[in-house]
Amino acid sequence: TPPAGPRPPPIFAVYPFRIFMQNAASTLAAQLSLSVRSVQNVLQLLDEGATVPFLARYRKEATGSLDEVQISAIQEGYQRFQ
């Protein structure tokens, strides 16, 4: 019998979203002259509920030391993608 508890979503439900996020991050990184990794990390943290000031002050290691203006530009650019 399978173990009890929630089942992970099927890969086909998650995979298109990951591709969308990667494409958005690559495009935004090129437009803003930032590293793709920093943009991916910012998008992930924003998706998890982090705020722009929090990221700029306390998550410098994840954002590559981006400031509030750069993080806001990533957030606004991503909102245009959606």
Side-chain angles (χ1 to χ4, degrees):
T1 62
R7 294 175 50 169
I11 189 69
F12 58 84
V14 176
Y15 188 69
F17 181 71
R18 285 187 182 160
I19 291 175
F20 174 76
M21 287 284 283
Q22 289 172 349
N23 289 340
S26 297
T27 301
L28 287 171
Q31 290 174 351
L32 300 171
S33 300
L34 300 171
S35 77
V36 175
R37 186 71 179 162
S38 292
V39 174
Q40 287 175 331
N41 288 343
V42 167
L43 291 177
Q44 180 179 350
L45 291 165
L46 288 171
D47 189 51
E48 293 171 0
T51 63
V52 171
F54 175 81
L55 293 177
R57 290 185 191 117
Y58 303 113
R59 296 305 306 267
K60 290 185 181 292
E61 76 288 348
T63 66
S65 297
L66 299 179
D67 61 27
E68 287 188 41
V69 173
Q70 293 168 309
I71 296 169
S72 293
I74 293 169
Q75 184 178 43
E76 291 166 9
Y78 184 65
Q79 288 171 347
R80 286 192 305 267
F81 271 93
Q82 295 177 325

